Amino acid sequence: MAYTKTLLCFVLVAFFMASMSEARKRNTSHIQFYMHDTPGGSNPSAVRVAGQPTNSTGSDMGAMFGFGSIYVMDNSLTATPDANSTLIGRAQGLYAISSQENEFSLLMTLTYNFVSGIYNGSSLSIVGRNPVMNEVREMPVVGGTGVFRLARGFALAKTHSMNQVNAVIGYNVTVIPYY
């Protein structure tokens, strides 16, 4: 009798583990898009809302951009690096200058809201450190809405181009939805 219970328990655990593993494989999504961050110019998509005065003469990037400064953004997301390509969504949220010395890093808290294509009406949320001067930066996906409800995953960011303070950043996002 004890042997039968043990065997049944083992079979149930093995079945549960196998079904969870297979579900994770099926639901992984890979998304690529470009974010256009334009804090400069006459129509900025990111504006500074708080922080210390900046030190534009220093060599330290954190001091130059104002350690502790907070920006609010509403950046366009496009299918290609061209600003006139198909608009697939908006990146809305906050970023703060989080480094004081020897590097330039941001704390990113943002939501990618998709407005067209198969993810129309859905969103992904990112919260994490972005060491901007690194060639590739990894940030966690901590949730989402719509088809990405309770998603988890990661976003790889790579600067595609930069013109003074305005930048185009390519994102490759891997997401595992909750369901």
Side-chain angles (χ1 to χ4, degrees):
M1 183 70 162
Y3 174 75
T4 304
K5 287 182 181 180
T6 303
L7 181 61
L8 179 61
C9 184
F10 175 76
V11 169
L12 287 174
V13 168
F15 176 76
F16 177 73
M17 296 294 284
S19 65
M20 284 191 55
S21 177
E22 186 61 31
R24 286 184 180 152
K25 289 179 192 173
R26 281 193 312 256
N27 293 329
T28 300
S29 297
H30 301 278
I31 310 163
Q32 181 176 349
F33 53 84
Y34 293 84
M35 182 176 79
H36 299 265
D37 187 34
T38 54
S42 61
N43 189 24
S45 65
V47 295
R48 187 173 154 181
V49 296
Q52 303 179 37
T54 59
N55 175 7
S56 60
T57 61
S59 61
D60 177 12
M61 293 293 276
M64 255 172 76
F65 287 94
F67 168 70
S69 293
I70 299 172
Y71 291 76
V72 174
M73 70 170 154
D74 183 8
N75 296 333
S76 61
L77 302 176
T78 59
T80 72
D82 181 359
N84 295 318
S85 69
T86 303
L87 179 73
I88 63 165
R90 311 284 311 169
Q92 298 171 325
L94 306 169
Y95 57 86
I97 311 300
S98 59
S99 54
Q100 290 190 47
E101 300 175 8
N102 303 324
E103 88 171 339
F104 181 43
S105 65
L106 307 173
L107 170 61
M108 309 283 291
T109 303
L110 62 106
T111 300
Y112 301 126
N113 295 301
F114 297 99
V115 297
S116 67
I118 61 173
Y119 304 121
N120 185 21
S122 297
S123 69
L124 289 171
S125 295
I126 303 284
V127 177
R129 182 177 171 272
N130 181 353
V132 176
M133 303 313 283
N134 290 2
E135 183 178 358
V136 177
R137 290 91 66 191
E138 182 176 342
M139 292 168 280
V141 172
V142 297
T145 64
V147 299
F148 300 120
R149 183 175 294 131
L150 298 174
R152 62 195 183 286
F154 62 93
L156 298 176
K158 183 176 183 179
T159 302
H160 179 269
S161 63
M162 192 160 189
N163 179 4
Q164 296 178 356
V165 295
N166 299 332
V168 177
I169 300 98
Y171 279 88
N172 285 299
V173 182
T174 299
V175 180
I176 303 169
Y178 174 71
Y179 54 88

